[in-house]
Every structure is written in C-alpha cells, then in structure tokens.
Amino acid sequence: MAAPAFLPELATQVVVPVAAVVGIAFAVLQWVLVSKVKLSPEPRRGDGSSAKSGAGASEYLIEEEEGLNEHNVVVKCAEIQNAISEGATSFLFTEYKYVGLFMGIFAVLIFLFLGSVEGFSTKSQPCHYSKGKTCKPALANALFSTIAFVLGAVTSLVSGFLGMKIATYANARTTLEARKGVGKAFITAFRSGAVMGFLLAASGLFVLYIAINLFGIYYGDDWEGLYEAITGYGLGGSSMALFGRVGGGIYTKAADVGADLVGKVERNIPEDDPRNPAVIADNVGDNVGDIAGMGSDLFGSYAESSCAALVVASISSFGINHEFTPMLYPLLVSSVGIIACLITTLFATDFFKIKAVDEIEPALKKQLIISTAVMTVGIALVSWLGLPYTFTIFNFGAQKTVYNWQLFLCVAVGLWAGLVIGFVTEYYTSNAYSPVQDVADSCRTGAATNVIFGLALGYKSVIIPIFAIAFSIFLSFSLAAMYGVAVAALGMLSTIATGLAIDAYGPISDNAGGIAEMAGMSHRIRERTDALDAAGNTTAAIGKGFAIGSAALVSLALFGAFVSRAEISTVDVLTPKVFIGLIVGAMLPYWFSAMTMKSVGSAALKMVEEVRRQFNTIPGIMEGTTKPDYATCVKISTDASIKEMIPPGALVMLTPLIVGILFGVETLSGVLAGALVSGVQIAISASNTGGAWDNAKKYIEAGASEHARTLGPKGSDPHKAAVIGDTIGDPLKDTSGPSLNILIKLMAVESLVFAPFFATHGGILFKWL
C-alpha cells in the first residue's frame, strides 16, 4: 500500500470548516465596512459645512462645489434604493414560491425513482463497484439523495437571495461615495461584491462538508453509497440556478429592452432618466438577473464539480482504502481557494488604492492574475500535504496509477485555462481593443452592419477558449482519467470568491449610475459611475467566460461518472442508439435558446407598449412634473418572467428523464455529449456578441478617443445604430448565453443521480422493439 498523505484526518476535519468560517467572517467584515457609509444626511454646522471634522480636503463633496442641496440628494438616493430593493425582494419571493413547489415535486420523484431500483427493499445489497462487499440498500440512497438535493437547492436559493440583498444595500452607498472620488466608490462597490463572493464560496463548502459528515454517520464504511447520495447536492444547486438564471434573465432584459427602445431611441432621453417608466424595473433586473442568477449559477458549478470529483474518488484507492484526507482533496482545494481569494481581495481594497478612472479596469484584471498565482502555490501545497505520493484512480472499469504531482497539474491546468478564457473574453468584449472598436466603427453605415460585425465577432471569439478547454481536457484526462477532468473544473472554480466579487461589482456600479441619474446628481458623478460600470461590463463578460469554461469541464466529468455508474463500457458513436442521441442533444441548446429569446421578446413587447402608453397618456412625464407609474412596469416584468421561465426549465429537467426511461442509457449518453459540444459554442458566442455590442455603444457614448468622437455624440445616427445592436445583444448576453451553461451541467448531473434507475429500468422502447 502507498505511503499515506502528510495531513492526518483530524487536520482535514479542522482545515475545511475553519477555512469556510474564515470566509464567512471575512464577508461579514466587508459588509460592516460598507455599512459605515450612511444613507442619511449628515448634520450641518452653523457655517454650513459638514459636521465631520478632520476629514481633510479629500472628503469634500462635488455638491458643495456646484451648490446643490446635499440633503435632498441623500434623501432621494435612499428613496430610489428602497424602491429597487423592494422590487427585487418581491420578485424573488414570487419566483421562490414557484421554484419551491417544483423542488418539492422533484424531491419526491428522486425518492420514488431511486427507491424503486431494488423494489423499495430495506435489505443491504452487493456493492456496485467493490464486488464481494455489501452496501447500504437502494432505499437509503434514495432518501439521502433527496435530502442532499433539498440541501443544495436551499443553499443555492439563499446564496442568490443574500447576494441580491447585499447588492441593493450597496448601490446607493456607491453613488454617495462617488461624490468623494472614484476610488471611494470603487472600494464600496468591490467590497459589496466580495461579501457575496465569500459568503457563497464559504457557505457552499461548509454545507457540503457538514452533509458528508452527517451522511457518514449512517453510511459508515460504505463510501461508495455515501458519495453517490451526495451528488444530489449538485443537482439541487443547479436546478435552482436554472430557474434563477432564466427567470432573472427574462426579467432584467424585458425591462432593459423596453426602457432603451422607447426612452433612448424614440424619446431621446438618457439612460436611467427618472422620466422613463421602466427605469426602476431595469435597475431591479440588474439585481435579480446578474446578481441572484449568477450567484446560484456559480454555486451550482462549484457543487457539481465537487460532487463529480468525490464520486470518482470514492471508487478509486482513496475510497476503497478509506483514506479520508485524499478523499476530501476537492474540499481542501476549495478551502485553500477561499484563503487565496482573501489575500487577493486585500490588494484591491487595502494595499493599492485607486486614484484615477483609468486605474479601475487594470485593478480588476490584477485580481484575476493575483488570485490565480496565489492559488497555484496553494494547490501545490495541498497536493503535497493532502495526497499520498502514488495512488490509483478509477478509469472506466480499471484502476490507473497516478502520482500527486500529476493531480497538481490537472488542477493547475484548469485554473490557468480559466484565466486564458477570461482574458480572451476581455479582448473580444472590452472597448479598449480593436474587435469592439471595429464593431463601433461599423455603426457608421447603420444597424445592419453593426449586427453583422457583432455576430462575426461572437463566432470568432469561440476559437481560443475551445482550444483552451480542449487542452485542459486532454492533459487532465491523460494524467488522471475522469477524476483529473473533475479537479480541473474545480481548479477553474477555485478562485470563485474573487470571480464572483468582480462579477457582482458590475451590476452594483450599474445601479449606482442609475441612482445618480435618477437623483439628479452632478454630471461629473455620472461620469465616475459610468467609468465604474464600463469596467464592470467587461469583468462581467470575463465572469461569464469562466462560468461557461468550467461548465464544459464539469459536464464532462459528470458525464464520465454517469457512464461508469450506468455500466456503459464504451460510448460508440457509430451505433444508431448513440448517434440519434448525439444529434438530438446538439439540437437542445438551440431549442432552449429559442425559448428564452422569444420569452424576452414577448415580455419586452408588453413593456414597450406600457412605456409608450404612459408617455402618450399621462401628461407632464416628459416635463418632469408628473411621476411615471413605475409599479406597473415592475409588475409586467415579474409576471412575464415567472410565466416564461417554466417551459425552458421543464425542457432541461425532463429531457434526461424521458430519454433515460424511454430510450435507455446509451441514447442518453449521446444526448449529453451532443448538448455539451454544441451548448458550449453557442454560450460563448452569444455572451461575447452581446458584450461587444454593449461596449461598442458605451465606446461611442464616452467619446474618449478621436475615433469615438467622430461616431458620437449621443443621439447621432451611429449611436442609434449602436443602441439597436446593444438591444439585440441583451437577451443573448444576459439570458440565453449564461443559461446554456446550466443546461449542459444540469442534464449531466441529473443523469448521474438517476443513473441507477435508468440502468435498471430504462430503455423501455428498445426493450419492446
């Protein structure tokens, strides 16, 4: 037997929860620092200056220079923030009612399907992989898989909800800090993003760790059954993420498209103008789609990659010999990730302060580079301390000998591939580089050429990320079979806390700009929040790139685990059973995208009609003497997104069940492979096309270069063409694109959870033929 790992079991039992608690404590600390920015006017001295003493020249406010009434500005900001927060909370509660009902029904299905594998017998059964040993009954697996599913679902919902609460808490505070300078506003927005990032990464790890230990009390030495049941955790996380992403995406884009088309194009009023009836719905949408949806999505990826790695490890030498520390290697990687991201965050908030607008984007990019570099050292340490020098990994029926340094390379290649995908995404979506500038330039000749250039850019942006994903799959699979692919996905997600902080920073800055506009603050404040927002747009695209890349790796690892569990020796594309699955699977992302795009279109149609109706029938809106009816627009977005999120969700959740039951595991393996291959391509191109159109419009609006000034100003024909491109790109980059990565992961993890049932009772049609 190989030499054991350096790290004893007790140390692992301490390191994992302590890292999680440190992550949660750090999130709370960041929240406390953000809450120091007060949303109530400061008392004034007799001479009219602020009561704050010793604040120095750096604390003077732009209002004091421009003679605006500071008291009114603060009160207005607080009012607007309250309206956005209430809208987001009421939407999420409505969404969670429907999602909760679905969760209950699906939990019952999991229990019934998995319990029926052995006819609801309570007797112990022979182990599936370790022949000659007895394992816990299938009924226990059904019960614990159901509990894990509910745990994952609840954690996902709570993560999304808390993220939204933090974002709506911070948006007005960012606006108020922008009066003191861009550096102060950046720190407030970034700290708030960090609260969400660390809370989600740490709570995901903590709940998984607790579940493993509690389930272990019943399962004892049956690690095979224990980790098979734990896969329900990933299924719960991802199924909630699907509804959060699709529902939130439809909400935010219906409001955005409605506000842009009538406000900017028809009425020629600025973005986030308080006269626009859809403006509150638009700002609410940023929080429910980009924050709550993204949070649940990345939590789902994290839960699934951990589950995929644990399932394969449980039937490798770690599980067979009951080596606890190497078994929990995926959790140790995540624990080190939290600490690495904590160190990285301090670079942005404490070590290097931002003083000018042009320092914002480099600071965010440095976060990605620093976290990746620190994490590489962390992975090396964990691989050396937490793994024996040599061990065996399950490889489709055989055991493959692997060394600890090979596993280090697998995690590291995933981590660095994530960085490559991030920077390629940035190159294609940031207006600092030629691809987006070319798209902006094409607006000279109207919207049609803008659309053609944007689509071409999206297709082209797929090339390098796919090579990066292909390289990581080849290297990690060659070194450590499917376990290597699973930990490569975990490597890509190991810096999830920093990735989410950067990601959440974008919508918070976007909201801050909206609040500044609605509160009638100085144009100089709007310039600062626009600079924060433009950097946030690019980093949001980087975040989506990470999410899609990791989804591809996670999905492949889950696919490998499913094939092993369903007892398929080889997936032969030349057999008709598999090939029909492959071609249908490749079609599914198109079907899903068609549903989500049309949903945004029909919801936006209602929104446009309502905004036009208010402008035409309510006197005094354009003059600013009458307040628009914001509540009706919020209701239109809420109703449309709740109604429209059900069909795409049902498509993804029911496909594996229908295919598995009717056609069997071979056809299902084809469907999973097809969906993975086509879904990744569409997701990357849709996200990048939308991001490029958005930033081409911002490039023209900012007018920062000579070239941009020849295309502007706002309201010019090229600008109108850019706005149309941006509007088309909205559902691509914020609804269809990001939801597709959940489609490919969710179908794979669902197939894995139901694999025992499909292997026993599946393929009814082919049995009859």
Side-chain angles (χ1 to χ4, degrees), residues 66-114:
E66 301 196 353
L68 293 169
N69 184 336
E70 190 225 345
H71 182 274
N72 287 355
V73 166
V74 179
V75 170
K76 259 188 178 172
C77 283
E79 275 173 16
I80 297 160
Q81 182 212 34
N82 204 27
I84 294 170
S85 183
E86 278 174 14
T89 307
S90 80
F91 168 72
L92 286 182
F93 274 132
T94 312
E95 182 185 64
Y96 291 172
K97 266 186 220 157
Y98 287 87
V99 167
L101 179 70
F102 158 80
M103 188 166 81
I105 295 167
F106 209 75
V108 172
L109 273 184
I110 293 173
F111 181 72
L112 292 177
F113 276 36
L114 294 183

Side-chain angles (χ1 to χ4, degrees), residues 361 431 529-539 695 698:
E361 208 166 301
N431 52 28
T529 56
D530 276 356
L532 291 171
D533 182 23
N537 244 346
T538 304
T539 53
N695 276 340
K698 284 197 165 62

Side-chain angles (χ1 to χ4, degrees), residues 481-502:
M482 273 302 169
Y483 187 70
V485 178
V487 293
L490 207 62
M492 207 177 270
L493 290 163
S494 58
T495 53
I496 184 174
T498 296
L500 261 173
I502 293 172

Side-chain angles (χ1 to χ4, degrees), residues 720-734:
K720 282 185 176 165
V723 170
I724 291 169
D726 174 37
T727 311
I728 299 169
D730 274 338
L732 284 171
K733 79 173 187 337
D734 289 324

Side-chain angles (χ1 to χ4, degrees), residues 59 81 116 248 258 270 343 351 367 387 442 454 493 560 569 642 654 693:
E59 288 288 317
Q81 182 212 34
S116 69
I343 295 164
F351 300 157
Q367 284 286 297
L387 293 171
S442 72
L493 290 163
S569 48
I642 297 295
L654 296 178
W693 276 328

Side-chain angles (χ1 to χ4, degrees), residues 15-69:
V15 167
V16 176
V18 164
V21 170
V22 166
I24 293 168
F26 186 70
V28 172
L29 171 68
Q30 298 301 311
W31 179 76
V32 168
L33 291 169
V34 170
S35 65
K36 285 187 174 171
V37 181
K38 292 292 174 248
L39 262 185
S40 52
E42 286 167 13
R44 316 294 288 176
R45 288 207 207 106
D47 59 0
S49 64
S50 174
K52 260 192 184 177
S53 57
S58 67
E59 288 288 317
Y60 87 93
L61 304 178
I62 286 178
E63 278 87 353
E64 288 171 11
E65 187 184 304
E66 301 196 353
L68 293 169
N69 184 336

Side-chain angles (χ1 to χ4, degrees), residues 403-456:
Y403 296 95
N404 58 4
W405 58 267
Q406 289 176 313
L407 221 46
F408 158 72
L409 284 180
C410 292
V411 186
V413 77
L415 179 67
W416 285 92
L419 192 68
V420 169
I421 292 170
F423 280 125
V424 170
T425 308
E426 190 228 359
Y427 173 72
Y428 280 105
T429 56
S430 166
N431 52 28
Y433 303 105
S434 61
V436 171
Q437 290 172 9
D438 289 346
V439 172
D441 193 63
S442 72
C443 294
R444 288 175 195 280
T445 47
T449 40
N450 179 27
V451 170
I452 293 166
F453 269 72
L455 287 172

